[in-house]
Amino acid sequence: GWWGGVRGGAIGEGGWRLGGGRVWGSAPVPVGARTVRAVRDWLRPWADRTAAVRAQPRRTVDVVAELANGRQLRGTVSGLHDTMLVAVSFSKLGAAARLKAWITVVALTASSPDTPWGAATVGRDKPGHPKWAPLTPLTAAWAPEVLPPTIHLFDRALTTPLPLPAQLSAQF
């Protein structure tokens, strides 16, 4: 399963390990099968909600996009399943998470315009009910047009606070 088939474990100095993952923890505390079942049951809606987009193995992709004035956008994007960026958070699904996914898809599309990149951002809504925000692939011609103004905003944000609240801008 998504949680690595864990039957028991411990929270210790290295953190709680579930199928190779790592969750916060500092003091050695034994974790019994009942606790693991409770965590597994709590995670099940997220696993079920993302099962279709996680069908392909997880991978990383290097991004290199040419910008104006000889600059390049370079980086590595992880969390990709085939051509779908899957970002799961147990925080409320807000504008910042959706904006991060959108910027990542813009960078992927600018770097590899022939690939139909998309995103699925999943976060908390009501208890036990994950909220899903899909992002369909962008057109190859659109990404290079929107990337320069986005990079300009990034450059500007390095020197001065932007008058651009994430929640308010998400409404537009």
Side-chain angles (χ1 to χ4, degrees):
W2 187 52
W3 37 81
V6 172
R7 288 177 178 69
I11 297 177
E13 290 180 20
W16 184 12
R17 299 189 193 290
L18 276 175
R22 188 170 170 171
V23 183
W24 294 65
S26 58
V29 177
V31 177
R34 187 180 335 177
T35 304
V36 171
R37 265 194 311 275
V39 170
R40 199 170 43 207
D41 291 345
W42 186 75
L43 293 174
R44 187 174 306 279
W46 274 265
D48 294 345
R49 187 66 169 128
T50 60
V53 293
R54 290 183 301 100
Q56 297 296 320
R58 185 180 169 122
R59 68 187 182 116
T60 60
V61 170
D62 291 326
V63 171
V64 178
E66 299 295 328
L67 303 172
N69 301 330
R71 293 175 70 186
Q72 287 184 335
L73 173 66
R74 291 179 162 267
T76 302
V77 176
S78 62
L80 289 164
H81 294 266
D82 193 25
T83 60
M84 183 70 72
L85 172 67
V86 180
V88 179
S89 172
F90 301 108
S91 298
K92 281 193 153 190
L93 181 60
R98 294 191 327 264
L99 183 60
K100 181 178 178 182
W102 178 80
I103 290 171
T104 304
V105 169
V106 168
L108 284 164
T109 304
S111 177
S112 301
D114 295 334
T115 305
W117 302 105
T121 308
V122 182
R124 193 168 40 90
D125 190 19
K126 299 175 199 163
H129 294 87
K131 189 174 182 180
W132 171 276
L135 179 63
T136 57
L138 307 174
T139 61
W142 190 74
E145 289 180 25
V146 74
L147 196 54
T150 305
I151 297 296
H152 174 72
L153 278 175
F154 174 79
D155 290 342
R156 187 170 161 205
L158 291 174
T159 60
T160 183
L162 292 178
L164 189 66
Q167 287 182 330
L168 180 62
S169 61
Q171 294 177 7
F172 298 98

